[in-house]
Amino acid sequence: MACIDFVFKVSGLTMLFIVGTTSLPTTVPKVFDVQRYGAKGDGKTDNTNAFTNTWEDACTWNGPSKMYIPNGRFYLGAVSFAGPCTAGSISFVIDGTLLAPPNNNDIKKETWINFRYIEYLTVSGSGTLDGQGQMSWSLNDCRKNEFCPKLAINMGFDFVKKSRLEGITSLNSKAGHFNFFSVDHFNITGVNIKAPGDSPNTDGIKIALSSNIRISNTNISTGDDCIAMLSGNNNFDIYNVTCGPGHGISIGSLGKNKDEKNVNGLTVRDTVFIGTTDGIRIKTWESSVSTIL
């Protein structure tokens, strides 16, 4: 059964550990603008193929590269940006608004925008991910309906290392806003997450089996956990976060399955909770007989 190594500081600047990303030598990146690949920011054209083709060229460029989404409203179906990339480092810069399909059935995946198997990735910009989740929230009745549909997360990172998420806004996700699975050395800073307080299961940041994570200077207002940390997480530093509305910061649930991993090295400091149901909560299950045996 998993256990927790947890420290909470109300104030003070003492660091218990250092989390960082490794930087590559600074070189001007080659810019790959989605509009040159046929993307249209008119709010209605499906830009999935244009974005996929832009990523393919940016990822395979022999040097630092930047995939750029300018101002505009870019409708986008479910898309996966996969590595590894031959570019030494790659930036995904969003200055416009990305619009998800309003109907969850048109996404057909658990994550609307997904990054996988990449190192030295930066996702940044002044833009917005608009999950257009209002139509889907009424479908989220899984507690009483075992056949409930799986609603899409706005953006996910799987097996991503030495990377960062900075500056962008996530709005009205159908389910969670940002999901992290098996990531290492990842910085999240200056991010804004927004959904109504009564939007179900719209976790702000959800993380599992990850290590060396820093979350800072971020505002999270949503309908579920501001930050949810599942099993197998190690070495987290969370500071200067404003949380609320929502359910606060949670660890768990832990202990339901005997093969769950421990949670170690978690610090939360200089964080404000406004109108949340909890501050920091640890969710655990009593050990089952099979676990004890």
Side-chain angles (χ1 to χ4, degrees):
M1 182 178 67
C3 66
I4 305 165
D5 177 7
F6 174 69
V7 177
F8 174 51
K9 282 180 171 282
V10 176
S11 62
L13 297 177
T14 302
M15 291 288 291
L16 296 185
F17 48 80
I18 297 174
V19 184
T21 59
T22 303
S23 299
L24 292 178
T26 302
T27 305
V28 176
K30 179 175 175 59
V31 177
F32 295 83
D33 189 324
V34 295
Q35 291 185 128
R36 295 188 176 182
Y37 289 78
K40 296 181 179 179
D42 57 11
K44 58 184 181 181
T45 300
D46 187 345
N47 293 295
T48 305
N49 288 336
F51 274 55
T52 300
N53 292 336
T54 307
W55 173 265
E56 183 177 348
D57 283 356
C59 184
T60 57
W61 176 253
N62 187 23
S65 64
K66 178 171 75 174
M67 178 170 166
Y68 181 59
I69 300 95
N71 289 327
R73 294 171 60 81
F74 294 87
Y75 181 89
L76 184 66
V79 62
S80 180
F81 301 114
C85 294
T86 55
S89 63
I90 185 165
S91 299
F92 190 96
V93 179
I94 307 167
D95 282 339
T97 297
L98 303 186
L99 298 171
N103 189 334
N104 188 71
N105 292 333
D106 292 333
I107 295 182
K108 299 176 182 176
K109 291 186 178 180
E110 294 185 13
T111 305
W112 170 34
I113 301 170
N114 186 240
F115 295 92
R116 300 169 58 85
Y117 301 105
I118 308 167
E119 293 189 3
Y120 302 107
L121 167 71
T122 298
V123 178
S124 65
S126 60
T128 298
L129 309 175
D130 188 347
Q132 301 202 89
Q134 298 90 326
M135 181 188 296
S136 299
W137 292 332
S138 62
L139 303 176
N140 200 323
D141 58 350
C142 298
R143 291 186 178 181
K144 58 184 179 181
N145 175 18
E146 62 178 314
F147 302 107
C148 65
K150 192 149 249 179
L151 303 182
I153 295 164
N154 265 7
M155 181 174 282
F157 299 84
D158 302 330
F159 310 100
V160 174
K161 299 179 179 180
K162 304 180 183 72
S163 298
R164 62 190 296 113
L165 172 66
E166 182 175 3
I168 66 174
T169 296
S170 179
L171 179 67
N172 292 335
S173 58
K174 292 176 173 59
H177 291 264
F178 295 103
N179 189 74
F180 297 83
F181 179 79
S182 195
V183 304
D184 181 52
H185 284 93
F186 202 109
N187 285 353
I188 303 165
T189 186
V191 172
N192 294 291
I193 296 172
K194 302 177 182 179
D198 59 355
S199 56
N201 291 331
T202 52
D203 291 313
I205 298 172
K206 196 167 188 175
I207 310 176
L209 293 174
S210 298
S211 57
N212 303 309
I213 309 297
R214 176 185 291 154
I215 303 172
S216 65
N217 305 314
T218 289
N219 299 308
I220 307 173
S221 303
T222 191
D224 209 302
D225 295 327
C226 290
I227 302 172
M229 288 161 284
L230 306 182
S231 71
N233 287 319
N234 297 282
N235 199 21
F236 274 51
D237 189 18
I238 299 170
Y239 63 95
N240 290 342
V241 170
T242 300
C243 170
H247 296 172
I249 295 175
S250 72
I251 301 99
S253 297
L254 299 175
K256 184 176 182 180
N257 302 309
K258 65 180 181 179
D259 294 327
E260 288 176 345
K261 306 296 183 182
N262 295 342
V263 174
N264 300 296
L266 169 62
T267 298
V268 179
R269 56 192 172 89
D270 303 321
T271 289
V272 178
F273 300 90
I274 303 173
T276 57
T277 57
D278 299 278
I280 297 176
R281 59 177 178 164
I282 300 172
K283 301 185 290 184
T284 62
W285 290 74
E286 182 179 5
S287 298
S288 65
V289 173
S290 60
T291 300
I292 296 173
L293 295 177

